[in-house]
Amino acid sequence: MTRTETEESDVKAKPADHVKIFDTTLRDGEQAPGFSMATDAKMVVARALEALNVDIIEAGFAAASPGDAAAISAIASEIKGPTICSLSRLNDKDIEASAKALEPARHKRIHTFIGTSPLHRDAKLKMTKDEIIEKIGRLVAFAVPLCDEVEFSPEDAIRTERDYLIEAVNTAIEAGATTINIPDTVGYTTTEEIADLFRFLKENAKDADKVTFSTHCHDDLGMAVANSLAAVRGGARQIECAINGIGERAGNCSLEEAVMALETRKDFFGLGTQIDTTKIYPASLALSRVTHNPIPRNKAVVGKNAFAHESGIHQHGVLANKRTYEIMDAESVGMPANSIVLGKHSGKHAVRARAEALGFKISPQKVEDIFPAFKKLADTTREVSDAQLIKLVTGNSVVDGRVGPWRMRRTELRIDMEEGTKPYARITLEHDSGEQHTVTHEGAGPIDAAFAAVCAITDVSGVIKTLDLHHEAEEGVVRADAVVTVDGRDYAGKGKEVDIADAAVAAFVAAINQAAAVRAGLGVVESEAAAS
């Protein structure tokens, strides 16, 4: 099971300015309450990590459970780009379990650890310093022939005496470890302290130039990303991190934040990663969906507000030049272009820009005419929706919170388990004229069939772009948010129903209604613009 010559040739040496990204979403991240993942969910995230081009995927803790071992093996079988890693306590059974789970991997790493701080030695391990050093030397050496790379972590390194920490590190290096990870296990350190510690290790560890020093920071004091970047400044060349910063307690260093800090501030750090940054948001979204944990709205880099602006001053600046208030492009992390959110702080430039994005050719005078009504509306609602803006621009009425001619009357979704029978939906919509239209349509799934039926009834060809569903237990309803592309433009629709399928279809109908209303109102607005 040792590395072959072919495998050696596949592993290219990284330049000195390369920072490896060791993703632990599927191990440390998954250990956090509320983020446990079954194998199929782990595979979704693993594929997203492969697309991101991370250097190492810590796929799990093989000895933790048969399910974790099976998930590691499944990931090792399919994912070919990154090195696949399994965590192990510093004992032979854990190490053997990791080696077995990693057998299908093209490149294998065993990550083994033991506590070294006084608290861990005395309270948890009940071991002397010498006993721990002996165990490090013996079991790191035991792991070396079972994989391609061995990583060693002195757990709670930050609170370990420096002279003892260097002894533990030297022992692991002499036994064959190729990566030395220095974990801030409880998020205790500061930027100055951790940078100085890495400089100390680089200067004093034996054969320091032959190993990669790694940082693993927790966010208990909200400094995981800052501390990880400080460690890099001190000489670390691997950051252990997780998508959306998930992990034990307050979480880990956020992958997207650390990567984009290095990318955006290359002038300062002079370092880079091999991450395809355009895949960051898709990976964040994939994790959010499989764990049913929404991305916080104000989350750096990937949150809904990261590239959104409501303040009129900010909106005016961004419309003139994005760099006035954005230090990176939304597209660079795979998000839609910057978002102008219409609210009570928005100005005329933003109202006009959003109306034009919806397809209207709107004159300056028209903006002046509708702006007082816009401000009045904005004072009574948290955010002015596209539907409300369409009403202001076209003069159309909003009935029951909707704009457009169609109302959902009946949704019937069917899926027959018999082989060869496609799922289908029967949808009934009512037009403002009072006429009801019913269409039955097949699809890849029942909801897909329902969307196709809605398009057939309304004669508006829409393609679902995103659909987010949230169950609100207190109200006993499902809220749906859909983004639908029609004629190259995106329309956002919302639905609220007791049934999940009804909510999804209602949100789709709301978006299609907006597109229909825009089509109907374009001529009127264009005529007004021409007249002015």
Side-chain angles (χ1 to χ4, degrees):
M1 295 176 67
T2 56
R3 191 198 301 258
T4 65
E5 289 186 13
T6 301
E7 288 173 327
E8 286 279 5
S9 66
D10 287 338
V11 182
K12 297 178 180 178
K14 301 293 183 183
D17 62 354
H18 174 76
V19 178
K20 296 178 183 177
I21 297 300
F22 176 111
D23 183 89
T24 187
T25 304
L26 299 176
R27 199 279 300 169
D28 195 320
E30 196 225 5
Q31 288 177 193
F35 286 95
S36 182
M37 289 174 262
T39 297
D40 58 346
K42 280 195 167 191
M43 288 304 308
V44 170
V45 176
R47 293 181 191 116
L49 292 171
E50 184 178 36
L52 264 175
N53 204 30
V54 301
D55 297 87
I56 303 102
I57 296 175
E58 189 167 47
F61 189 165
S65 72
D68 227 27
I72 294 168
S73 185
I75 292 167
S77 297
E78 179 179 329
I79 305 300
K80 302 303 181 188
T83 294
I84 308 300
C85 176
S86 173
L87 185 70
S88 307
R89 289 165 297 193
L90 197 63
N91 65 61
D92 52 2
K93 289 185 178 179
D94 273 28
I95 291 168
E96 286 172 341
S98 285
K100 182 173 177 58
L102 290 169
E103 281 180 357
R106 188 178 181 194
H107 302 299
K108 313 168 184 66
R109 176 182 292 193
I110 292 176
H111 177 194
T112 191
F113 71 96
I114 191 169
T116 53
S117 69
L119 267 172
H120 280 244
R121 294 194 308 260
D122 300 337
K124 188 175 78 170
L125 299 173
K126 312 292 186 187
M127 294 175 67
T128 66
K129 288 183 177 181
D130 289 343
E131 287 172 335
I132 291 171
I133 293 297
E134 184 278 331
K135 196 170 186 180
I136 292 170
R138 176 168 51 85
L139 287 164
V140 169
F142 174 71
V144 168
L146 302 179
C147 58
D148 302 314
E149 307 167 6
V150 173
E151 175 173 333
F152 172 71
S153 291
E155 189 181 11
D156 204 22
I158 298 299
R159 296 189 294 179
T160 299
E161 310 93 326
R162 285 199 176 186
D163 58 343
Y164 185 59
L165 180 62
I166 201 73
E167 184 180 359
V169 166
N170 285 340
T171 302
I173 294 172
E174 289 171 0
T178 53
T179 298
I180 300 296
N181 180 52
I182 303 300
D184 181 17
T185 304
V186 290
Y188 182 72
T189 195
T190 66
T191 54
E192 294 87 352
E193 182 180 51
I194 197 168
D196 182 67
L197 177 59
F198 273 88
R199 283 191 288 268
F200 168 79
L201 292 169
K202 291 280 288 183
E203 291 169 4
N204 293 282
K206 293 178 182 177
D207 296 322
D209 58 330
K210 296 180 181 178
V211 298
T212 299
F213 282 93
S214 169
T215 179
H216 180 120
C217 295
H218 279 265
D219 209 34
D220 297 72
L221 293 175
M223 298 194 293
V225 174
N227 287 336
S228 296
L229 294 171
V232 167
R233 295 275 288 170
R237 287 299 178 268
Q238 176 177 289
I239 296 176
E240 303 202 354
C241 48
I243 299 172
N244 297 345
I246 69 170
E248 292 278 10
R249 302 180 311 282
N252 283 292
C253 170
S254 163
L255 180 150
E256 56 276 7
E257 294 173 29
V259 167
M260 291 311 294
L262 292 173
E263 178 70 21
T264 305
R265 293 305 311 274
K266 278 185 178 177
D267 61 315
F268 178 77
F269 290 102
L271 302 166
T273 70
Q274 66 182 24
I275 295 297
D276 180 351
T277 63
T278 64
K279 300 298 192 297
I280 285 177
Y281 182 64
S284 173
L285 201 58
L287 177 67
S288 171
R289 286 175 173 167
V290 301
T291 60
H292 308 293
N293 280 279
I295 304 166
R297 187 169 183 136
N298 66 329
K299 175 74 176 65
V301 181
V302 293
K304 188 175 181 180
N305 282 4
F307 298 94
H309 309 273
E310 184 185 332
S311 163
I313 295 171
H314 285 217
Q315 289 172 338
H316 190 186
V318 167
L319 289 168
N321 186 323
K322 286 196 293 186
R323 286 294 172 266
T324 54
Y325 291 103
E326 292 183 8
I327 60 172
M328 52 191 163
D329 294 326
E331 297 91 337
S332 71
V333 297
M335 289 186 77
N338 68 70
S339 173
I340 299 298
V341 177
L342 297 181
K344 66 180 182 180
H345 302 107
S346 299
K348 295 171 186 175
H349 290 89
V351 172
R352 183 174 185 179
R354 184 58 198 155
E356 289 178 345
L358 288 169
F360 294 109
K361 293 181 181 178
I362 185 169
S363 67
Q365 185 57 52
K366 181 68 175 179
V367 176
E368 293 287 344
D369 292 344
I370 68 172
F371 197 67
F374 167 80
K375 279 291 189 180
K376 185 176 180 180
L377 177 62
D379 274 334
T380 63
T381 184
R382 186 168 57 182
E383 183 177 321
V384 176
S385 68
D386 286 349
Q388 291 167 323
L389 180 61
I390 292 167
K391 180 221 172 186
L392 290 173
V393 173
T394 64
N396 290 341
S397 61
V398 176
V399 182
D400 297 331
R402 67 182 171 88
V403 62
W406 298 101
R407 178 195 300 271
M408 192 174 75
R409 281 305 184 196
R410 185 174 180 182
T411 300
E412 182 183 349
L413 308 184
R414 299 291 291 272
I415 183 166
D416 198 323
M417 302 307 293
E418 291 184 12
E419 189 175 350
T421 303
K422 287 188 176 181
Y424 70 93
R426 181 178 290 111
I427 302 296
T428 300
L429 301 182
E430 183 179 326
H431 193 269
D432 281 343
S433 65
E435 293 182 358
Q436 290 195 359
H437 300 262
T438 300
V439 165
T440 300
H441 210 291
E442 293 182 339
I447 292 181
D448 175 66
F451 293 163
V454 170
C455 293
I457 293 171
T458 61
D459 197 28
V460 177
S461 181
V463 178
I464 189 75
K465 189 172 183 180
T466 63
L467 176 64
D468 292 313
L469 301 163
H470 305 282
H471 177 245
E472 299 190 355
E474 289 186 6
E475 292 186 46
V477 298
V478 176
R479 292 185 183 271
D481 293 278
V483 175
V484 181
T485 304
V486 179
D487 300 332
R489 295 188 179 91
D490 290 342
Y491 297 90
K494 296 180 182 294
K496 182 177 75 171
E497 302 288 342
V498 173
D499 182 79
I500 189 169
D502 288 344
V505 177
F508 188 83
V509 170
I512 291 293
N513 253 334
Q514 290 175 35
V518 168
R519 284 182 179 179
L522 282 178
V524 175
V525 177
E526 286 173 357
S527 296
E528 289 179 354
S532 64

